[in-house]
Amino acid sequence: MSQPHLVQRLQGFGTTIFAEMSALANETGAVNLGQGFPDTDGPDEISEAAIQAIRDGHNQYPPVLGIPSLRAAIADHQQRFYGLTFDPDTEVLVTAGATEALAATMLALLETGDEVVMFEPYYDSYAAAIAMAGGVRKVVTLRPPADGAGPYVFELDELRAAITPRSKLILLNTPHNPTGKVFCAAELRSIADLAIEHDLLVVTDEVYEHLVFTGQHVPMASLDDMADRTVTISSAGKTFSFTGWKIGWVCAPPALTVAIKTAKQFLTFVNGAPFQHAIAVGLNLGDGFYESFTADMAAKSERLAAGLDHAGFTVFEPEGTYFITTDIRPFGESDGYEFCRTLPERCGVVAVPNVVFYDNKPEGQHLIRWTFCKKFEVIDAAVERLKTLA
Ligand code: PMP
Ligand code: GLN
C-alpha cells in the first residue's frame, strides 16, 4: 500500500513482518514462534552489571566509538574465538545494535546507484538500509537442498553474474537468518575470491555467531587477504539474550571504521551507556557460558524440528541461528503468507512467512520460519497445537 508522505525509496517497506506477526500473536493469544526474541533473560551477572553501572553514574553520553572497556572486550572476543586482531582504538565501533551498524555502513559506503550483491532470503533491514543510502540491491537466491537434507545452497555462477561495474560490496549473513545456514569455509573462500577479483568490500552480519550447532562459524575477516576489505558486524542481543538493549558493533580496518563512524554519529551519536558496561562483562564470561548457551539452543532446535516434522511439515534443519524453515506444501497449500495469517485461528500458533525476505517471490512463497529461542514448554505447547493441523 502506498503511503502519501513517504519518500519513494521507502515505499513498500510498511510495517516489519516481525511487528505484524507479534501483534497478531498478542491479539489472538497464539504461541509466538514468529519474531526472534528469547522468552528468558540472559545471565544475572550481566543484568546486575547494568544495574550497577546505572548506580555508579554511567548515565551520560559515552564516547562515540563506545566505552574503552567494551571496545577492549570486543577485540579480545575476536582474538579469543577466531584469532582475529582488531585495535580497540581504531578498528572497533559500538553501535545501537547490528541494525544501526548495517544502516551506518550502507550510508557511509554507498554512492547513489551503487549496487550491493546479497543473498535472498535476506533479513528485512538490509533492503531498507540500502534503499535509505540510495543503493541498489542485486540478489542471489539461496535454495533449499533438492532432496530436503543438508544446508541451503547457492550457485557460484549466479553470484558471479550478479556482479557488475556498479557493484560496491557483497553483503553476507552467516549464520543466516532465516534459513539457518552456516556458510562453510569453502563457500566463503569462493565469495572472497570474487570480492578480490572485482575489488569489492564485504560486509558480514554475524549476529548469530555463537548459535552454531553443526560445523563452525568462520568469520569472513579470518580468510587470507580478506581482513583489509571486510566490515564485520555483530551484536550482543542474540549472544546474551538481551535483544532489547541494542548494543552492537563494527570491526573493520581504520579507514572503514572512520567512514562508518562518520555516518553513525549522526544517526544515534551514541547509545546505552550502562548496557555497554554490562556487555563488556558478558563478552568476558568464560567458555562455560558460551558452551552451555549453544548446547541449550541446539537442544531447542532439535525439539522444534522434531515437532514440526511430526506435524507434517518438510523441515530444513538449521545449522545455526534461532530459526527453522519449513515447506508447507505437504498440507496442500503454497501461500505461506496466508498460511501464517490464518495459523492463529487454525491452531493458535504464529510463524513468519519467508516470502517477505525474497525479491523473487516464487522462490519463497511456500516457506515459513519458526523460532525456537523459547522455553521448552512453550515449544512443546506450540507443537501440541500444530498436531491439530490437517
Ligand atoms: N541481523 C540479523 C540477521 C538479525 O536477525 C537481526 C535481528 N536480531 C539483526 C541483524 C538486528 O540485530 P540488533 O537487534 O542487534 O539490531
Ligand atoms: N531479528 C529478529 C527476527 O528475525 C527480529 C528483529 C526485529 O523485530 N526487528 O525475528
Side-chain angles (χ1 to χ4, degrees):
M1 203 194 318
S2 97
Q3 294 187 37
H5 297 290
L6 188 64
V7 289
Q8 190 57 39
R9 62 185 176 279
L10 289 182
Q11 288 291 343
F13 283 100
T15 303
T16 82
I17 194 67
F18 311 116
E20 180 182 343
M21 289 299 155
S22 281
L24 187 61
N26 288 338
E27 272 162 36
T28 59
V31 180
N32 189 357
L33 300 189
Q35 190 176 25
F37 62 91
D39 58 359
T40 312
D41 285 344
D44 286 346
E45 289 167 84
I46 303 181
S47 31
E48 288 303 324
I51 293 163
Q52 194 58 47
I54 292 174
R55 295 216 165 99
D56 289 347
H58 296 299
N59 299 307
Q60 309 308 327
Y61 299 129
V64 71
L65 284 179
I67 61 168
S69 64
L70 176 56
R71 283 186 278 118
I74 292 165
D76 289 350
H77 173 277
Q78 295 283 26
Q79 186 72 54
R80 168 179 163 198
F81 286 97
Y82 313 116
L84 291 171
T85 303
F86 289 99
D87 180 338
D89 293 328
T90 58
E91 299 184 307
V92 177
L93 170 68
V94 176
T95 56
T99 308
E100 188 198 29
L102 285 155
T105 300
M106 297 307 148
L107 288 165
L109 303 183
L110 298 179
E111 297 288 3
T112 302
D114 278 356
E115 293 174 1
V116 175
V117 177
M118 59 193 237
F119 292 100
E120 68 172 4
Y122 53 79
Y123 182 59
D124 64 350
S125 85
Y126 297 178
I130 293 165
M132 286 191 278
V136 176
R137 62 183 186 274
K138 292 279 176 179
V139 300
V140 176
T141 307
L142 289 171
R143 297 198 177 84
D147 58 1
Y152 272 61
V153 289
F154 65 95
E155 296 293 334
L156 193 58
D157 283 344
E158 289 184 25
L159 182 60
R160 190 176 287 113
I163 298 172
T164 77
R166 284 313 302 264
S167 303
K168 180 69 192 265
L169 59 91
I170 299 176
L171 173 56
L172 183 74
N173 170 215
T174 183
H176 184 264
N177 176 9
T179 67
K181 176 182 175 63
V182 176
F183 284 74
C184 70
E187 288 172 319
L188 292 170
R189 185 70 258 170
S190 63
I191 297 167
D193 287 344
L194 282 176
I196 292 168
E197 183 186 333
H198 295 275
D199 196 19
L200 306 178
L201 298 169
V202 178
V203 177
T204 65
D205 173 351
E206 305 184 359
V207 301
Y208 298 100
E209 61 185 302
H210 286 290
L211 284 161
V212 175
F213 320 131
T214 308
Q216 66 176 53
H217 173 61
V218 180
M220 181 56 98
S222 70
L223 271 68
D224 285 349
D225 303 322
M226 285 307 291
D228 285 354
R229 60 176 71 244
T230 301
V231 174
T232 304
I233 290 172
S234 195
S235 146
K238 308 299 160 17
T239 299
F240 302 112
S241 307
F242 288 113
T243 60
W245 288 11
K246 299 295 284 190
I247 300 297
W249 51 87
V250 174
C251 295
L256 283 164
T257 303
V258 166
I260 297 164
K261 185 195 80 173
T262 304
K264 179 259 176 329
Q265 66 190 343
F266 300 115
L267 292 173
T268 56
F269 183 50
V270 293
N271 76 298
F275 298 129
Q276 293 196 18
H277 287 266
I279 296 304
V281 170
L283 286 165
N284 289 326
L285 288 176
D287 293 348
F289 159 74
Y290 290 94
E291 283 159 15
S292 63
F293 171 64
T294 309
D296 178 55
M297 293 296 288
K300 288 177 168 169
S301 166
E302 281 173 26
R303 182 88 134 245
L304 180 60
L308 292 169
D309 179 62
H310 194 240
F313 294 92
T314 304
V315 177
F316 303 112
E317 293 229 9
E319 299 170 294
T321 72
Y322 269 176
F323 308 109
I324 295 176
T325 288
T326 59
D327 191 329
I328 60 170
R329 286 176 298 186
F331 293 94
E333 295 171 55
S334 59
D335 183 343
Y337 189 81
E338 189 57 18
F339 192 91
C340 289
R341 221 186 40 75
T342 55
L343 200 57
E345 67 202 50
R346 282 168 77 180
C347 71
V349 182
V350 160
V352 162
N354 289 23
V355 68
V356 300
F357 307 129
Y358 286 82
D359 289 349
N360 300 296
K361 301 296 182 195
E363 296 276 1
Q365 63 180 2
H366 50 281
L367 301 171
I368 66 176
R369 188 197 84 173
W370 315 79
T371 187
F372 48 81
C373 59
K374 304 292 173 184
K375 296 187 184 84
F376 281 104
E377 60 260 37
V378 172
I379 294 172
D380 292 344
V383 164
E384 212 40 51
R385 292 173 180 209
L386 288 167
K387 282 184 187 156
T388 62
L389 263 184

